[in-house]
Amino acid sequence: MSPLSRRALLRGAGAGALLPALGACGSPAASVASADEIQYWNLFAGPDGNLMKDMTRKIEQRVPDLRVNTTVLDWGPPYYTKLAMASVGGRAPDIAVMHLTRLPGYAPGGLLEPWDMDLLAEFGVRRQDINPTVFKRGLYEGKPFAVPLDTHPFIMFYDRDMMDRSGLLRTDGQPLPFESPAHCLEVAKKLRKDTGKLGPVFGHVNDGANAWRMFWTLFSQTGGAFDLTGARAGIDIDRAVDVVRFMAELIRPDCRTMEISTAIADFANGQSPAIFNGEWDLNTFRTAKKDKLGAAPFPTIFDKPAGAADSHSLVLPRQNHVDPAKRRQAHRFAAELLKSSLAWAGGGHIPAYLPVTASKAYAQLHPQHEYAQAANQPALDPKAWFTGAGSDFQNRMCQALQLTLISGAAPEKAVRKMVSEINTLLSKPNPA
Amino acid sequence: MSSLRIPLRASARSGTARPSRRGAPGSSGWPFVLPFLVFFGLFLVLPIGYGLWMSFTDSSLTGHGDNTFAGLDNYAEALTDPEVWSSLENTVWFTVLTSVPLVVVALVMALLVHTGMPGQWVWRLSFFAPYLLPVAVVTQVWSLLFQPDLGLLNSMLKAVGIDGIGWLVDEKYAMWSIALLTLWWTVGFNFLLYLAALQAVPDHLYEAAAIDGAGAWRRLWSITLPQLRRTTALIAVLQVLASLKVFDQIYLLTKGGPDNSTKPIIEYIYDTGFANYRLGYASAVSYVFFAIVIILSIAQLKIFSRRED
């Protein structure tokens, strides 16, 4: 074979190989999704992911011709970036899960569409059946843009045996209330002495949200102002300083350098009598503690009950071409998810659908039932386009708090930094 | 066999370019480069141009302000934004902390392995193996090692009577810890480059030197290191570029903390563009960073090419 013809052959082969590769750039999804399926995006991985998969499957079995094609994306900025981009492009899924606190960044920009409450009622979910606190937060300009599936608060898990030994349980098995921040510190000290190990633990180091959740819980308990609606932050500085000082005192002996994974391990292994944590780690603790596991809403340490919380909510992302049949099916699916949210409570979340939380079956869920009250005192992130679950704002607040929590700087310094970070964010143009 | 450098030096001295082998480049190569060119154009040239355009607008991820031309506003903001400078400083500090050891340690490791350690393949394997791990695995393993209370590193320190260090939780040490992890993780690649270069140094040079009575140190300084100069230049350039674009391990380990002490500029760009949705401004910061990288690369090339002469 001459060199020339060999080259010609290769040229042909090269071009030939390229064509199918370019052809493959078309839409592979088209062949997978069938026409009557609704597209559903969520951010649930791990145990929550399995629960959601299970609930969806059962709904499909129960409801004829409701078919759901689920896409699971990594939670946090990647999820919210993709959801925003899909809505901007107008080719969004028919229904998606979103943290309620992210709504101010989405609803005003026209990235979402409101729910038709009449249609939901047709499928058996009425407005008054949904936890009013979180439902109200889903309203924008009076229209419901988010239907809350649950409330997921920051709570306290404790070891019944260890708390009992220190005489800190009431006769009904619930922990004794704290009278003041000073009392809480005393109790922590006593627990530390009685166990001979750690006091209550709290993982916050190098975590993008936990220090903020703790701060926001306690600050909300003070009832102080934390207003992000103006051009500059309107924050009750003195109360913020008190809260940061208390946090530093509470964690100084044990948790100054406590990472979340260490805190979880310490509590699960019996090194510590209690942990302040999100209820979403319920199953980890239940596996480790079995019947010894107790749980309660975040204790009231300052003036009034409150606990940092958020809500997994269902939203309708904006689409260029809305198929009315699919819109209807999306409502139907949302209603079915709410009605079957007793299963969702298995993951620790408190269902927003009141008939479920009022049911006998829910009352028998332990320890979920013990902290159900937390759904009535949720402290959701202050309203601004930049706040909410998985936001850069929460990470910035955590970084600022670390000044005092880890490095031991004066609480005033951390609060000053928080305020200046917020003012920086407020000075930037609102992209929504 | 000739060494790597001799023909290159000869052609440089003669000052004439080597004539191309078969006349002008024909069209016969196109099928080979076309797939690359298509992807290069689609996924590199086009986005780079689009990003440049975007950096002059108020474009946001939520689709608002796309068409508002902002002129140089974003660049003006970037140059006065303290976070751009602090994250840039962190990036440069990380680059300094990693580039030097990643070159020196790799060289030392390669020299040790090359000069007569028994069981060479074991060393080659164990030095290179970490490089094969995905970043998620590396950060998982090291975050356990770095744990202040339960971690292996602090347990070892305590065993010899030193108080534990807040590896990732103390501003003073966090960046050093990340540099340490990066060294462990990536030094294997440079090590392999050096080892390959060492194996290409012709034996007759050493033989001649031995006949002239040169000792081991003399041979190292006068033959080995000069022979490795081109490799060192290559590794140094690649390493500085790799270190400047650090993001993954820091984002996974510390999210830029504690107190922003490890936040690299890429994380700031990511936060601005993808968490706070300011694509226009994020593009402008990217371009500022891009310009700095280009300047650094040119400076480095100048330094190394001067040494070549």
Side-chain angles (χ1 to χ4, degrees), chain A residues 3 7 10-12 14-15 18 21-22 25 77-78 80-82 84-85 88 102 105-106 108-111 205-208 254 256-259 261-262 265-266 385-386 390-393 395-396 398-400 402-403 406-407 417 421 424-425 428-432, chain B residues 22 27-32 34-36 38-39 42 58 60-66 77 81 83 143-144 146-150 166 168-171 174 251-263 267-268 270-279 281:
Chain A
R7 244 182 247 163
L10 284 171
R11 184 161 49 208
L18 195 64
L22 285 174
C25 292
Y80 287 108
T81 305
K82 283 171 194 147
M85 290 173 89
V88 170
R102 297 297 298 243
Y106 283 74
L111 296 184
V205 177
N206 291 333
D207 181 279
D254 301 322
R256 202 169 68 87
T257 56
M258 182 82 69
E259 285 177 293
S261 49
T262 319
D266 282 344
W385 65 265
F386 49 77
S391 63
D392 181 35
F393 162 78
N395 189 27
R396 279 165 187 262
C398 289
Q399 301 287 350
Q402 287 182 350
L403 273 179
I406 300 173
S407 317
K417 173 100 173 172
E421 289 277 0
T424 307
L425 284 168
K428 306 216 162 145
N430 180 348
Chain B
R22 289 185 194 174
S27 58
S28 60
W30 283 110
F32 295 99
L34 200 61
F36 170 76
V38 167
F39 283 93
L42 271 180
D58 270 338
S60 109
L61 195 85
T62 53
H64 294 257
D66 264 333
E77 188 183 342
D81 183 346
E83 262 188 277
S143 70
L144 290 175
F146 282 141
Q147 286 278 358
D149 308 313
L150 312 165
L168 292 172
V169 300
D170 191 327
E171 270 175 75
Y251 189 72
L252 290 169
L253 277 174
T254 66
K255 288 248 187 325
D259 188 27
N260 289 330
S261 58
T262 58
K263 190 191 243 182
E267 188 183 336
Y268 183 56
Y270 173 79
D271 284 345
T272 309
F274 292 108
N276 290 338
Y277 302 157
R278 293 190 65 201
L279 289 184
Y281 182 56

